Every structure is written in C-alpha cells, then in structure tokens.
Amino acid sequence: MPPIRLETVGVRDVVARLLRLAEREPLMCVIDSTNGVIDGYLTAAGLDVYRADGDVAPPRRAFGSPDPVVLAGLGRTRRSRLTRIASDSGTLTGLDQRIEDDLDSAALVEAEQVASGRCLLHGRRAHPRVALTFDDGPDPDHTPRLLDLLHHYRVPATFFCLGLHAAAHPRLVARIAGEGHSVGNHTWSHPYLPDLTKHEVLAQVDRTAEVLAGITGEVPTLFRPPFGGRNADVLRWLAEHGQTTVLWDVEAADWALPGAPAIAHQVIGDTDFGSVILLHDGGGDRSQTIEALPLILETLMVSGCRFVPVEDLIDVDEQKECVAPSWTSA
C-alpha cells in the first residue's frame, strides 16, 4: 500500500490504526534503536515488531530516526536480517553482548565520575534516604495518577522526562516541578546512546533541555541514559556537557508488565538505604506500577526509609563504594 503520514496524532492513535490494518492482512512493524519507546506500545497491543540494526538500517536523518518509508521497506526486502522484538526484553532484544561490551568499556570512566560526583549509582548506605525515580514520561494517563499518589504520601520523586513527551504535555511537566519533584533529562526520543555520534548525543540532550527549561525555568543537569546505555565516550561527552549521569541500583522491570505484586516485591526486597529506585511513568501501560506504588511506599517508610530527590544522594566522598548496575530494556 502507499505510505500514509499521520499528522498530529498520539501513539495510541497510531496503534489503533495499525490494529485495524492487522485485522485485514498480516502486518509487521519495523523500528530502529533511535526511538526506544514506541515498541512498548506496539508489542503490548499484540503487534509483530522488528528492529533494523546498523548494517541493515538506512542512515539516520539530521535528528531522529531513519526515513520511515525506507525503514518499513526493509520488512519486504530484508526481513531475515531484522530482529524480532520480544515484549519481555524490549527494544534491545538480542543485543546483550553488545551492551555488555559497552558497559565494560565504560567501567573505568564511570568509576572516576562516581568519585567526582558526575555519576550516581546509589547514595550513602549509612543514611536512611532513598530516591524514587520515574522514566519515559510525562504520560497524560499515568503521570497524573502517580502524582496524586506521591502527593497523598507526601513523597518527593525525580522524573526523567523525554523531550518529545514534555513538548507534547508541558502542563504535566509544570505540575511535576510545581509539586516539588525534580525534573531530569532522559533524551528527546529514547535512543541507545552508544549508537550515536557525539553531535547526535548532545543534540538529544540540548533539545530536551531547551523544552524543559522553557517550562520549569531551570536547565536540567541530571541526566539518565535510556536503557542505562553508555560507554566511555558517552559518559565523557555528558560530563563535558555539564551533565550528572544518574543510574540506579533497584529496578523491577515494570516496563515488562510482570504484575503489580511482582513489581512491589522486587523493589521492596532490593532496596537498601541510599538506593535509587527505577520505575516508569511513560512508554507504555503503567497501571501495574501505579497499583504497586502504595505498597512500596508504605513498606519502605515503615522500614525507616525517607524519600528524597535524587540530587540529595549525590555525595562525592561516599560514592566510591558504589557498584554499577546492569542495563535495562526500557
């Protein structure tokens, strides 16, 4: 069929149209790794999603993803060279060895930046402070519900926002900041950063920072790489650009929809004093995360934890004890 360009619609509208097409004939969706949020919606809807990598994917345009018409055409001409995305492993399905190699290359620079306060994995274990962080929003359905819960429990959090979502929902970003939560940079379109050039990485950072600063009045300096994806070059580029890389030591894979009890059990069991907890408020159905949050908050509070913005955990003198987390698929 001829290409159809969908203007001024949300991702849910795109998914709905694709589902209607899939009812009539077999359909495959093709993405590349420069946009790591769309596949979550597609796979959750039951659509077949494939990723085109390096030697197969067409060249990226000046900013963002390759030409979508060319990308889709690979489904007809190069299907055997594409990687099918699994819902339980996410955008980077099949790239475990590549990711491991990138993390290994980052280890020395990461240790140096942890010691200098340019990278955070977790805070002091001696103090009962914990940072709750949310990635991939803001989302018009899920972020307001999370904010309501945080307000009810009087808990501050840190939201690492995607630029494309912040630009679409500025009032939500304003509400996040207005209610006392921290706002961090999570890139514009959620790419796997080691795939990008220095110019492309910094463009992702700057475009998002411009949008967030225009809403909150402050340029964010806290940065979380999508998927935790990093290598030595990426960490150096970010630090030179004035960013503090925020990682985590507790992650419940809520993006994979394991169920609210599983999410709560994982977070509660893994959290220690000083922990940075990674959850998600965007990028897919986050109803399980919302359902799990009251039990997480109440249990950790009873255990003596006090929730603080993530920047309150950054302590140069104590960061040398931190151990790097593994990558995550969302």
Side-chain angles (χ1 to χ4, degrees), residues 125-208:
R125 296 304 193 191
H127 299 308
R129 297 177 299 180
V130 172
L132 185 63
T133 68
F134 296 95
D135 286 8
D136 297 353
D139 179 276
D141 295 327
H142 306 303
T143 304
R145 296 170 63 195
L146 282 171
L147 289 171
D148 289 345
L149 281 172
L150 295 172
H151 177 75
H152 174 76
Y153 286 98
R154 299 184 180 180
V155 166
T158 303
F159 288 79
F160 288 94
C161 299
L162 289 175
L164 63 89
H165 290 167
H169 307 290
R171 290 183 180 179
L172 277 179
V173 178
R175 181 183 170 186
I176 290 169
E179 294 186 2
H181 305 291
S182 297
V183 176
N185 190 323
H186 197 41
T187 72
W188 183 263
S189 63
H190 207 280
Y192 182 62
L193 294 182
D195 279 351
L196 307 187
T197 65
K198 179 179 181 179
H199 174 77
E200 290 172 326
V201 168
L202 298 185
Q204 288 272 341
V205 175
D206 289 344
R207 190 170 182 176
T208 303

Side-chain angles (χ1 to χ4, degrees), residues 256-277:
L257 305 180
I263 294 169
H265 177 78
Q266 187 78 43
V267 171
I268 293 167
D270 291 350
T271 298
D272 195 357
F273 288 174
S275 283
V276 178
I277 301 168

